[in-house]
Amino acid sequence: MKLKIIAKLWAAIYDLLFYIDGKGNKSLEQIHDELDIIEMLCRPYADADDIEEIP
């Protein structure tokens, strides 16, 4: 699930970049709605400690 969240975050970043450049096919409201969904998906991990350390 974490990889799906990361993929959705990157998609939202690119949607925002395309929107800023005037080349996007999504409205700002659609992007905002997707970010709200991503936030809800992240909530179960908000208080979780990562056991893995980044080398």
Side-chain angles (χ1 to χ4, degrees):
M1 183 59 147
K2 290 180 185 179
L3 289 178
K4 287 183 182 181
I5 292 171
I6 293 168
K8 288 180 180 290
L9 284 170
W10 276 109
I13 289 168
Y14 276 101
D15 287 340
L16 285 168
L17 288 173
F18 289 140
Y19 178 82
I20 290 167
D21 289 342
K23 299 176 184 176
N25 58 357
K26 292 185 180 178
S27 70
L28 191 56
E29 184 178 344
Q30 289 172 313
I31 297 169
H32 190 277
D33 290 343
E34 289 178 3
L35 288 171
D36 286 342
I37 292 168
I38 295 168
E39 179 189 359
M40 289 186 336
L41 292 172
C42 289
R43 286 183 185 165
Y45 304 103
D47 295 327
D49 291 330
D50 272 341
I51 296 172
E52 300 174 27
E53 291 185 22
I54 299 172

